[in-house]
Structure formats: structure tokens, C-alpha cells
Amino acid sequence: MAGALGMWQTLGLVLVWQASAAHSGDIIKKVVHTPWWPAGSEKTAESVGIISHGLVYMTAMMEVNETLQKTALQETWDVRDIALAAGANLSDLVDCFVNAPRGHADAVKAALMSAFPAEVQASPPAFTVVEMPGEYQFVYNSIMCVANIPDGGSKRRTVRKNGLYGVSARGLTFYEGAEAPGTISGAYEETRNIVNRMLRSSVLVDCTAYLASIQDAQAVRKAIVEVTGMKGFIQPSLTIVQATGLANRSLRLRCTAAEDDSRLRSVDTTDGKVVLTDSFAFASAQLDRNSTGVNALESLGKLFKYANVTLNDAISCSFFVKDQQKMLDLFGGFYEIFNKENPPPPTRGEYEAITECAECQVAAKCIAARPMEMEVHSEALRAVLV
Ligand SMILES: *[C@@H]1O[C@H](CO)[C@@H](O)[C@H](O)[C@H]1NC(C)=O
Ligand SMILES: *[C@@H]1O[C@H](CO)[C@@H](O)[C@H](O)[C@H]1NC(C)=O
Ligand SMILES: *[C@@H]1O[C@H](CO)[C@@H](O)[C@H](O)[C@H]1NC(C)=O
Ligand SMILES: *[C@@H]1O[C@H](CO)[C@@H](O)[C@H](O)[C@H]1NC(C)=O
Ligand SMILES: *[C@@H]1O[C@H](CO)[C@@H](O)[C@H](O)[C@H]1NC(C)=O
């Protein structure tokens, strides 16, 4: 790097380099800190927030207060603190995922929404609430968000199309967990309906399906493969888990899409699938029979290798564990793999859910940051040389 910079300097390019390096869009992975999660916290725990390619990924926040409303308010303050640390604020949120106790999704959603400032309510992030237990039994819910960092003129934009709601920023569209309209028609038909509507405006790169019954997993896979295949699009990375309550629907499907498919790549291996956008690598969940999740994380590392990224590049992970009582085992495995072997660790969310593998204890899915597009730099270099 020093050598390259020296060369650029002699070419008179150093100013361009420095000016653009000030923008968050040029940061690949940078841990942020809050007053309550100071520098160094990430040495023993997860990162509270990570700036990557103009977005800030946040860890799942949870609070325990006297009432749901106070809990929600405190949680939005936590999210705000992380956003502020990254140069964003609550108005810049593009996506949030919330878990809630069975039968309480609507109440939790209402509490969090009303805790947001009015301007956030007027243009909310994609906001998916799924009923499933979280990290601890005594904690009601948690909230995990992503925000756009509004520097360098980057804008966030809401998308309302085909009965879907999403928020776009930095070339990605974060769709709110979607359901099929009308009466229950089964997982296969409902998945086809949702994916068809999403594919009308973008290409899906990463999806998580929350099912009423995990028995429907194969039907969901089949529907996604068929509908994306029919359009000639790549298939998204896919994680399938069972939720505890879905209010009369077969599934809720939460996806990230890319606006332009021209540079998308899907790396399909016997170990799983990674979908690549310019900025990120989205891996399908890896399963583990061991409650530490170490094997799942190691196979994620292997999968990432095909995409030329490593576990050091992980920015956000979600863990679905079969037995909440064994959450501490997972934290041990996370510490081993990330804090000790591949620091700094990603942000994370943990949930209790059954996965496609009945004997498995953990399903782990992570997003990794890709390095900067080298062509862009060589273009710049060429421009100067000419
Ligand atoms: C939530 O509880 C914490 C700890 O008791 C307290 O500091 C905080 O002010 C409470 N938040 C709200 C919104 O009441
Ligand atoms: C967030 O920052 C924008 C300017 O970037 C400002 O207009 C807006 O009021 C802020 N919102 C909140 C909730 O602080
Ligand atoms: C689910 O279906 C039952 C029976 O048809 C109905 O009473 C109930 O209101 C429905 N719940 C929701 C959330 O739509
Ligand atoms: C799970 O992994 C841990 C750490 O690698 C190991 O000590 C333990 O024996 C494993 N448990 C099972 C059931 O394989
Ligand atoms: C990874 O790097 C190798 C060697 O440079 C290259 O051939 C391959 O296409 C790269 N793979 C991806 C997915 O970028």
C-alpha cells in the first residue's frame, strides 16, 4: 500500500485519493464505537457497528425496561447512537430486523415505530418483525438495523411497488419481509407470488424465509429456483428457518436485492452458495451439529474463499440456534473464530429457531465486505496517465 501510494503521489493523484478516502463509500470495514461500547469492546464481544461501502451494519440491540414502550424507546436510542457514531442518523435507516415473542409482533412493531422520530415514521426503514425468541429468555425483543451514511451525495430512496415496501441505498434494495396477499395457499404458491413481485424491479441476492412450518422448506426452495430461473436471473443466497408465529401465512420472505444485475455473480459450490455484488458477498447459511457453531463458521470461511474474501471481512452475521439454553456455547465459538482468529468481529443477531437440519444446533449466515473494485482505480490511474 505504501509503495502504491508513493507511486500515486508522484503522479499527482494523492489529492484525489485523499478526497475520496474521506467518504464512507471507500471504507471496506471499519468498526465504530459508542459511549457505551467504547474502543476495545470488540476485542472480547462483537462489533457494535461496522461501516462498509457506505452503509453501517449494526449489532442487534436489546433493552429491558419497565414497559414495552420504554424498552422500545431505549432501543431506538441505542440504534441512534450507533448510527451517529458512523456519521448517519435514524432518518438514514434502510433496514431493520426485529424478533418478538409469539403473538406480539404487532405490539412490538407499533412500540418501536412510535418510538422513532416523526421524520423516520414518515419514511421508515424496511421493517421486518418476526416472532421468534432471541438471545435470552428474559429479553422481549431485539432490533438489528442497517443505515445509509449520507456522505458523498449518496441518497436513500423508498420503493413501493407491487405491494412491497423496500428502501434502496448504495445499489441495494432492502425489502421488508413480504407475505402473499389473500387467503392461505401454501408455501410454494406464496413464495412464487412474493418472488415474482420482487423480481419485477430487482434481482434478489440474499433471502431469509421465515416459515410457519419448516416442513415447507423444500417447497420454498423449489419456488425460488423456478421463478428466478424463468427470468434467467441468478438465485439468491437462501436461509430457511421456522418462526414461532406467522399470523395465518405460510411464510414471510425478507430479501436484499441489487438494482442492476450486470455485475452480479453467483458462486455455487458443493459447500454452498455465495452471491457477489460489487461491494458485498452474501453467503447461504451453514449448518452445525455442534452448539459452538465453530464448524459452521469454518465452512463459511471456506465458502468465502471461493469469493476471495475471508472471515476477517465479515461485517454482519445472524445465528439461528435450536436451543436458547446453549447460546453461551455459540458465543464461545464466535469468540474463538472471530475475536481470536479473524478480528475484528462482525455485528450479530441471535435467535432461537429450527432450521432445515433437524439434528443441527446452529445455522450461521454472514455478509462479508469485498475489496474495492480495482478497475475503478486503474481507470483513474489511466485518466491521469493520459
Ligand atoms: C431503560 O432502563 C435503563 C436502565 O434502568 C435506564 O437507564 C433508561 O433510562 C431506561 N430507558 C427508558 C426509555 O426509560
Ligand atoms: C438526520 O440528518 C438529516 C441531515 O442529514 C436531518 O435533516 C435530519 O433531521 C436528521 N434526523 C434525525 C432524526 O436526527
Ligand atoms: C387468523 O385466522 C383466524 C381464523 O380464520 C382469524 O380469527 C384471525 O383473526 C386471523 N389472524 C390474523 C392475524 O389475521
Ligand atoms: C463441540 O465443539 C467443542 C469445541 O470444538 C468440543 O469441545 C465439543 O466436544 C463438541 N461437541 C460435540 C457434541 O461434538
Ligand atoms: C478470485 O481470484 C482469482 C485469482 O485472482 C480469480 O481468478 C477469480 O475469478 C476470483 N473469484 C471471484 C469470485 O472474484
Side-chain angles (χ1 to χ4, degrees), residues 4 43 59 61-62 64 112 121 185 197 279 285 311 322 360-361 366 385:
K43 289 199 162 63
T59 210
M61 292 309 307
M62 52 194 175
V64 180
L112 280 163
Q121 295 179 36
S185 51
R197 285 183 287 144
S279 306
L311 287 171
K322 188 178 178 183
C360 291
Q361 296 291 332
C366 296
L385 288 171

Side-chain angles (χ1 to χ4, degrees), residues 213-281:
S213 166
I214 198 69
Q215 308 295 331
D216 287 337
Q218 280 315 315
V220 170
R221 275 189 192 284
K222 182 165 185 273
I224 292 181
V225 167
E226 283 176 8
V227 178
T228 52
M230 228 151 57
K231 298 240 182 190
F233 288 166
I234 59 164
Q235 286 151 31
S237 286
L238 179 60
T239 300
I240 303 182
V241 297
Q242 181 173 294
T244 53
L246 272 182
N248 296 348
R249 302 252 57 94
S250 301
L251 82 152
R252 187 163 302 147
L253 189 63
R254 175 175 173 244
C255 293
T256 305
E259 284 160 9
D260 170 18
D261 67 336
S262 59
R263 291 152 74 98
L264 295 179
R265 283 183 65 183
S266 172
V267 183
D268 295 277
T269 79
T270 49
D271 298 314
K273 181 184 185 69
V274 188
V275 174
L276 304 178
T277 66
D278 281 348
S279 306
F280 301 109

